[in-house]
Amino acid sequence: MRKLRRARLAALLAVLSLLAAACGSGDGETGADAGAEGGRFSVYICEPEHLVPQNTNETCGAEVLNALFTPLVEYDPETAAQTFEGAMGESITSDDQTVWTIKLKSGWTFHNGEPVTAQSYVDAWNAGAYGPNAYGNAYFFQNIQGYQDLQADKGERPKAKAMSGLKVIDDTTFEVTLNGPFSQFPLTLGYTAFYPLPKAYAEDPEAFEEAPIGNGPFMMDGTWQHDRSVNVKRYENYVGDRAKADAIEFRIYSNINTAYNDLLAGNLDIMDNLPPERLTDARQAFGDRFIERDSSAFTYIGFPLYDERFQDPNLRKAFSMAIDRQAIIDAIFNGAYTPADSVVSPVVRGARENPCGEACTHNPQRAKELLAQAGGWEGPLTLWFNSGAGHDQWMNAVSNQLRQNLGISDIKFQSLQFAQYLEKLDDEDVTGPFRLGWVMDYPSPQNYLQPIYSTDGSSNNFGYANDRVDQLIEQGNAAGGVEEGIAFYQQAEDQILQDMPNIPMWFEQVQGAHSQNVQNVVIDAFERIRTADVTVTAT
């Protein structure tokens, strides 16, 4: 999944109906310009960390890749249900949930004219898993047979460059053998890690990152202009549904407020999130062009468990109980978010109400008691967050509550640009509680648990390790079906909340807006803009 720049249901069908009701800006396919082609529009993003799909696990890069690539499976923009409509895959089948046969639709090509074949996927997944590449999405391939042969200790070569569990049957069919049953495997295949790669990638990976060649409705128009923009144009030979607009400028901002001012002035067309302190203004300023719907986004404050000062769970629970989430939501986010009392979003099947219990409630007296049991706190405390994305205000509110409720007087802040911030987290150079968020890659509790909390999880920035959690997640993965797996995932979540490597803060809403220059702007529960469907009304 993707690291995020910035009401509760137990049954998926109920959730999905809510999503359907709240989807999009409401301007739909009406009006003289509905369905019209042509024109260009601009989209707010921050500087991507990477643009190779197998190495992209944050929202800014993913927004660009979603325009450049078409996945094996799609997710309905209104219901989030898996579908082959608009996807590269034709079918994904298995008799035992261990050996899967994937059939592709024929006739598709990359932007350079090269056919998209089964080999394109096998090569891409091997590159993603190959240890020396150190790609951020490598863990997605861990359950494919032969993955370990592509790993090696630092300075040594792996004994293989290809996973034995991948086998090309013909140009449009390949077989995937997993290490064991994984009922949710097809559900995962819409994620960026599983995009295909053309031969040009292997010839020069660094050049490919600057100008990715995909199989999607848009193709690169020039190269990635770092800290400025990524420009794409419609791929005229695209086999799927043709994009409505001629071109998109993904405009890179270092400060979300600057982007918002451009949106207000009509100099920017779409933002998929807005500065928290401007939300009231945004509703009034944009009217029916203000977009709000349920999101899969989850914000939390993590603890650097590699720092011995944060080893005691009682200290971590004390911090959690000192924070009044609802007060922050009301004061800064206009009450739009829901305080989090779990680590799995309510929009996902298997989510429960309040598995966290007391540790996620606001109780300053109990917080003081827990901090005392942990030996108290001495010295300065540094709170970390990424800059320019609207986190300053609420992190300041958190610091005030820690001062007031726990008596920690010396609190400092460290804020960095997102890409630099992620590097610090990956290198375990962060020295205090840190802000992060998560948007699902696919609608499963497993997607909220394994990447973030398993010992080898790609986004486990805490240094958290609990064998029982790892085992329960694996049992959920190996269960006979989705329903069976949920019971194990819920047990894993209970253990995680007992350990509290991070403080669940809130579950978010999509809150975006668009200019008068565009219509049919839909942002889905993954917080992805459906760019191919956007129509331009002013050219």
Side-chain angles (χ1 to χ4, degrees):
M1 177 331 45
R2 295 164 293 148
K3 293 160 185 164
L4 181 62
R5 287 167 281 165
R6 48 186 176 55
R8 182 143 284 96
L9 298 171
L12 180 63
L13 289 177
V15 171
L16 299 183
S17 65
L18 259 184
L19 295 179
C23 178
S25 62
D27 44 16
E29 288 285 348
T30 60
D33 296 296
E37 285 196 359
R40 61 184 295 130
F41 62 93
S42 52
V43 174
Y44 156 75
I45 61 169
C46 61
E47 172 75 356
E49 190 178 24
H50 297 287
L51 285 181
V52 172
Q54 286 68 28
N55 203 21
T56 300
N57 58 6
E58 46 79 26
T59 51
C60 295
E63 192 79 84
V64 176
L65 294 180
N66 290 334
L68 295 176
F69 287 84
T70 294
L72 276 172
V73 300
E74 266 289 3
Y75 307 102
D76 187 287
E78 295 185 351
T79 68
Q82 179 196 316
T83 176
F84 289 109
E85 184 177 348
M88 268 292 313
E90 183 174 276
S91 66
I92 302 171
T93 57
S94 176
D95 294 329
D96 59 4
Q97 301 194 74
T98 298
V99 181
W100 294 87
T101 300
I102 299 176
K103 289 187 175 292
L104 309 177
K105 292 168 184 166
S106 59
W108 288 59
T109 59
F110 289 104
H111 301 149
N112 61 359
E114 177 186 331
V116 182
T117 67
Q119 192 68 51
S120 309
Y121 284 90
V122 168
D123 291 345
W125 296 9
N126 281 326
Y130 190 58
N133 287 340
Y135 281 171
N137 292 327
Y139 76 95
F140 276 95
F141 308 105
Q142 284 178 334
N143 61 350
I144 296 177
Q145 205 169 78
Y147 172 85
Q148 286 303 325
D149 293 339
L150 275 64
Q151 313 307 312
D153 293 333
K154 190 174 182 180
E156 297 182 7
R157 280 189 174 185
K159 65 180 183 182
K161 288 190 173 182
M163 291 180 280
S164 58
L166 298 179
K167 180 181 177 183
V168 173
I169 305 299
D170 58 39
D171 278 353
T172 57
T173 310
F174 65 108
E175 186 177 89
V176 183
T177 302
L178 305 179
N179 292 319
F182 184 27
S183 59
Q184 301 183 62
F185 182 64
L187 199 61
T188 70
L189 297 180
Y191 185 52
T192 54
F194 299 104
Y195 289 172
L197 291 174
K199 294 174 183 173
Y201 160 80
E203 294 167 1
D204 191 342
E206 291 183 2
F208 182 88
E209 174 140 78
E210 298 304 310
I213 300 167
N215 63 331
F218 291 96
M219 60 186 293
M220 290 291 290
D221 185 7
T223 58
W224 176 5
Q225 303 298 301
H226 289 269
D227 298 314
R228 292 171 52 199
S229 64
V230 180
N231 289 286
V232 303
K233 59 185 179 183
R234 184 169 52 216
Y235 177 43
E236 299 296 347
N237 294 325
Y238 185 62
V239 175
D241 291 339
R242 178 180 167 90
K244 299 292 193 298
D246 291 334
I248 308 170
E249 177 191 8
F250 291 97
R251 196 176 300 166
I252 298 169
Y253 289 86
S254 60
N255 189 300
I256 193 171
N257 278 287
T258 305
Y260 183 73
N261 289 335
D262 275 355
L263 185 69
L264 279 173
N267 297 324
L268 175 71
D269 291 316
I270 305 174
M271 293 183 71
D272 62 1
N273 68 96
L274 302 174
E277 66 273 23
R278 311 293 292 274
L279 289 176
T280 301
D281 295 345
R283 283 192 176 90
Q284 296 174 349
F286 292 96
D288 61 2
R289 290 182 285 113
F290 180 81
I291 302 169
E292 190 166 36
R293 63 167 295 170
D294 289 325
S295 163
S296 63
F298 165 50
T299 290
Y300 59 82
I301 295 177
F303 292 101
L305 302 184
Y306 44 83
D307 184 329
E308 63 179 13
R309 297 176 300 167
F310 300 98
Q311 286 291 313
D312 193 324
N314 282 331
L315 179 140
R316 303 195 292 266
K317 290 176 183 175
F319 276 46
S320 174
M321 297 183 72
I323 297 172
D324 187 343
R325 299 160 176 78
Q326 188 65 61
I328 295 174
I329 290 169
D330 290 342
I332 298 175
F333 300 105
N334 277 321
Y337 296 168
T338 302
D341 49 24
S342 67
V343 298
V344 176
S345 168
V347 305
V348 174
R349 188 176 188 175
R352 296 168 293 163
E353 188 168 353
N354 198 20
C356 184
E358 179 190 51
C360 289
T361 61
H362 177 227
N363 187 334
Q365 182 57 41
R366 179 64 178 147
K368 289 175 184 171
E369 293 171 1
L370 288 169
L371 186 63
Q373 290 175 23
W377 179 267
E378 294 184 1
L381 173 72
T382 303
L383 302 180
W384 291 69
F385 57 94
N386 54 304
S387 60
H391 302 304
D392 313 53
Q393 196 173 0
W394 72 262
M395 286 296 281
N396 191 51
V398 167
S399 74
N400 289 337
Q401 293 182 357
L402 294 178
R403 284 189 184 93
Q404 179 178 345
N405 297 328
L406 293 180
I408 302 174
S409 57
D410 188 1
I411 300 180
K412 307 177 188 303
F413 298 101
Q414 275 281 359
S415 62
L416 302 168
Q417 290 296 313
F418 194 47
Q420 187 182 2
Y421 182 64
L422 293 180
E423 287 181 11
K424 285 279 187 185
L425 288 168
D426 291 342
D427 293 341
E428 297 190 347
D429 283 340
V430 170
T431 58
F434 56 87
R435 181 222 75 90
L436 265 185
W438 189 258
V439 180
M440 68 179 178
D441 308 308
Y442 46 88
S444 166
Q446 182 265 351
N447 188 231
Y448 282 84
L449 301 180
Q450 189 155 11
I452 306 177
Y453 303 103
S454 67
T455 300
D456 297 325
S458 66
S459 295
N460 179 352
N461 297 110
F462 327 113
Y464 174 64
N466 185 313
D467 290 343
R468 184 166 185 267
V469 169
D470 292 343
Q471 291 165 7
L472 286 166
I473 292 172
E474 288 303 325
Q475 286 177 276
N477 294 347
V482 173
E483 291 296 333
E484 281 184 51
I486 285 174
F488 293 107
Y489 297 140
Q490 290 177 340
Q491 292 178 60
E493 184 186 23
D494 288 342
Q495 182 63 58
I496 292 164
L497 288 167
Q498 188 173 331
D499 296 338
M500 194 157 274
N502 60 349
I503 300 173
M505 290 297 291
W506 44 71
F507 298 114
E508 299 186 11
Q509 292 261 307
V510 169
Q511 291 171 310
H514 65 84
S515 74
Q516 294 178 340
N517 300 329
V518 292
Q519 280 189 334
N520 200 34
V521 180
V522 173
I523 306 174
D524 61 23
F526 300 85
E527 300 208 346
R528 299 181 305 189
I529 300 166
R530 296 288 175 141
T531 52
D533 297 330
V534 173
T535 56
V536 179
T537 59
T539 58

